[in-house]
Amino acid sequence: MADHNVSDSRRRWLQHAGAGLAVAVGSGTAVAAETAATATPGAAQGGVRDPRAGYPRAPFPEQTQPWPGLAGKMTPRPDHGGQSYRGSGRLAGRKALITGGDSGLGRATAIAFAREGADVAINYLPAEESDAREVAQYIQQAGRKAVLLPGDIRDEPFCRQLVASAVRELGGLDILVNNAGRQQSHDSILDITTEQFDWTFKTNVYAMFWITKAAIPHLPAGAAIINTSSVNATDPSENLLDYAATKATITNFTKGLAKQMASKGIRVNAVAPGPFWTPLQVSGGQTMAKLKAFGSDTPMQRPGQPAEIAPLYVSLASSEASYVTGQVFGASGGKGNP
Ligand code: NAD
Ligand code: MG
């Protein structure tokens, strides 16, 4: 796994911190305890584990947070694999930028990437600083460099600056994970304002376009782009009209871009999650009724934990998957198509 010790990595990282948008993280070594939501390790490799056992399931306690929400304030706390994910050098020496890397799927991916040997830059909103700093500590504890790049990706100049900062701080870029997302539940199309519609498309579609466009000139042959779609791309929830439409766009964009990028040796794929227990869902992403029953309508009868999807991102980023491009991979507890 790690080929650098933690103190070396921290020293190298601190040498870079403060430049550009990078934010220095406190020198404390203890990562705030990530209470695994699960009774037993969530994604521990090796051995046989019953996917039905030990994972939280409905009914979930009523809860709501102001958008964008914090993983640290959810009940139960999501399992991001902090206690369970074990790397095996699959991404040794790689350099990754992950949007929405502070919480949820992006956070689980950041932890897994670092434990697989990658240096990781994450983008998130300033309001999510506390979640982001926990992620940075996990990355550093894996002996890798963590770069924190807060900012709002609805802004095109910021997206260009984000990529430039990641390239500068990481010394290059060969994995881009477009994962940040905006999801707000509205019962009727009549309740979706133009501002809301625009917000959702700016975050989920335009930012992916801007960040990808800025990143491509920096990506070497062998690089991987991974977008986060959803089961909503093919089976839209009635209360997520604008969101679901962005996810269909992301899937389509992924397949088209993959065709374009093959000649450059850059692979482009998407992950399409079903219901996952993340801040998105408790900060306006679901009706309270759906939240309390979250995931119970899947064959697995529970939502996924972020740790359970990170291995897909790892596989798609890894050069082992060299013939895999233009594809969508699902993790949905058995319901819906990618
Ligand atoms: P999450 O809330 O943990 O992550 C979403 C992140 O998006 C936030 O942490 C935030 O940093 C980022 N973000 C939102 N607006 C932003 C902006 N304007 N500028 C910068 N960053 C911004 O929730 P998650 O569920 O892990 O979401 C990650 C991705 O997974 C999203 O694309 C989401 O649509 C997708 N997804 C989630 C589910 C699910 O059930 N949780 C299902 C399908 C797809
Ligand atoms: Mg977050």
Side-chain angles (χ1 to χ4, degrees):
M1 182 187 66
D3 55 0
H4 295 79
N5 68 45
V6 172
S7 54
D8 278 345
S9 168
R10 173 163 290 125
R11 190 168 58 246
R12 284 186 300 111
W13 184 80
L14 287 173
Q15 282 167 356
H16 288 87
L21 289 173
V23 171
V25 175
S27 58
T29 51
V31 171
E34 175 161 310
T35 313
T38 50
T40 48
Q45 293 102 323
V48 176
R49 166 121 201 257
D50 185 342
R52 301 168 302 179
Y55 293 95
R57 58 182 65 227
F60 289 97
E62 271 190 34
Q63 58 199 289
T64 182
Q65 291 188 39
W67 180 87
L70 292 172
K73 292 191 172 165
M74 288 177 69
T75 309
R77 275 197 73 161
D79 177 6
H80 300 98
Q83 297 185 344
S84 56
Y85 192 90
R86 289 199 303 274
S88 55
R90 297 176 72 191
L91 303 177
R94 301 287 297 270
K95 302 164 192 303
L97 169 61
I98 304 171
T99 64
D102 58 299
S103 58
L105 316 186
R107 177 188 185 129
T109 300
I111 292 170
F113 278 12
R115 291 187 183 170
E116 295 290 357
D119 291 335
V120 183
I122 62 170
N123 164 253
Y124 52 94
L125 288 160
E128 300 171 304
E129 190 66 32
S130 58
D131 273 355
R133 284 177 182 253
E134 289 182 2
V135 176
Q137 289 196 331
Y138 278 111
I139 295 168
Q140 291 173 317
Q141 285 185 349
R144 307 310 310 181
K145 182 175 181 179
V147 181
L148 300 186
L149 302 170
D152 192 329
I153 59 173
R154 287 175 296 164
D155 180 60
E156 183 176 5
F158 172 74
C159 288
R160 288 197 296 263
Q161 193 185 350
L162 170 65
V163 171
S165 300
V167 169
R168 185 180 62 245
E169 298 297 324
L170 296 173
L173 187 67
D174 53 49
I175 303 170
L176 170 63
V177 179
N178 288 306
N179 167 74
R182 165 90 173 169
Q183 174 189 317
Q184 293 286 297
S185 172
H186 293 97
D187 288 339
S188 164
I189 185 174
L190 302 181
D191 301 330
I192 304 176
T193 62
T194 298
E195 186 201 11
Q196 178 59 229
F197 192 84
D198 195 54
W199 191 333
T200 307
F201 270 80
K202 280 273 159 52
T203 310
N204 299 4
V205 175
Y206 279 72
M208 172 185 67
F209 169 64
W210 291 326
I211 293 168
T212 303
K213 198 172 160 186
I216 282 170
H218 299 283
L219 299 180
I225 298 171
I226 306 165
N227 299 323
T228 303
S229 183
S230 167
V231 289
N232 272 281
T234 46
D235 184 13
S237 299
E238 71 278 11
N239 61 319
L240 298 174
L241 207 59
D242 52 342
Y243 171 84
T246 67
K247 294 296 168 178
T249 305
I250 291 168
T251 290
N252 188 283
F253 180 86
T254 299
K255 289 171 179 277
L257 186 66
K259 291 175 182 165
Q260 241 183 55
M261 289 297 114
S263 62
K264 294 185 185 297
I266 299 168
R267 296 179 300 104
V268 189
N269 292 288
V271 173
F276 275 78
W277 187 244
T278 70
L280 188 95
Q281 307 294 356
V282 301
S283 56
Q286 291 297 345
T287 62
M288 192 55 75
K290 283 198 174 190
L291 186 71
K292 280 158 62 179
F294 199 55
S296 58
D297 60 344
T298 66
M300 207 74 88
Q301 297 182 334
R302 65 172 180 86
Q305 293 296 323
E308 299 180 87
I309 200 168
L312 281 183
Y313 288 88
V314 169
S315 292
L316 292 174
S318 164
S319 293
E320 296 159 325
S322 46
Y323 198 58
V324 180
T325 193
Q327 306 300 315
V328 183
F329 290 80
S332 62
K335 190 183 176 197
N337 301 309

